[in-house]
Amino acid sequence: MIEGALDVLTTRYAYALMFVLMGIGIYMIIANENLVKKLIGVNLFQTAIFLFFVAVAYVEGGKAPIVPSDGSDPGLMASPLPHVIVLTAIVVGIALTAVGLALIVRIYAEYGTLREDTLREVRADE
């Protein structure tokens, strides 16, 4: 049992790192009251998903998907689609972070705090 887990950690370390990042991200989203820390947790969670897509797309011995012009067999090739999806998701993640930070700045300017519990109390009093 322990040997199997050790084998997974030494050969599939990207998956282990993905689970660690995902766990830290979820913990930051749930446990922190600060909105900036929650947004950082969302970014860590996104990074874990990106790592998962790239790790799943890895092909041992795979080459770039370029077909030779002489018509010979190209051999084993890696699919570029997961990498394209991850690049698109990175751009969307950056936009999400920018909008989230803009909202956080606006919330701080309006209420003077970034703590979720304090914001709920202030909103309840209005």
Side-chain angles (χ1 to χ4, degrees):
M1 177 72 179
I2 294 175
E3 291 176 8
L6 188 60
D7 182 50
V8 168
L9 287 176
T10 56
T11 58
R12 308 274 189 216
Y13 53 88
Y15 294 109
L17 180 61
M18 185 260 315
F19 282 116
V20 168
L21 285 173
M22 192 176 286
I24 292 171
I26 289 175
Y27 175 77
M28 287 181 72
I29 292 168
I30 294 171
N32 284 311
E33 293 292 328
N34 190 312
L35 295 177
V36 174
K37 291 180 183 178
K38 285 182 179 282
L39 188 61
I40 292 171
V42 169
N43 284 329
L44 279 175
F45 190 83
Q46 285 177 341
T47 303
I49 299 300
F50 301 157
L51 180 62
F52 175 72
F53 268 100
V54 171
V56 168
Y58 177 73
V59 176
E60 181 113 14
K63 297 186 303 187
I66 301 171
V67 179
S69 60
D70 61 359
S72 63
D73 182 29
L76 189 61
M77 293 189 291
S79 174
L81 186 61
H83 298 87
V84 171
I85 291 172
V86 168
L87 284 174
T88 305
I90 288 171
V91 172
V92 171
I94 291 170
L96 175 74
T97 302
V99 170
L101 285 173
L103 287 172
I104 288 171
V105 167
R106 185 71 180 110
I107 288 170
Y108 185 76
E110 182 72 24
Y111 298 106
T113 185
L114 294 178
R115 292 189 51 85
E116 189 177 4
D117 54 351
T118 307
L119 287 170
R120 286 188 181 157
E121 290 173 10
V122 170
R123 294 287 294 161
D125 293 341
E126 289 182 350

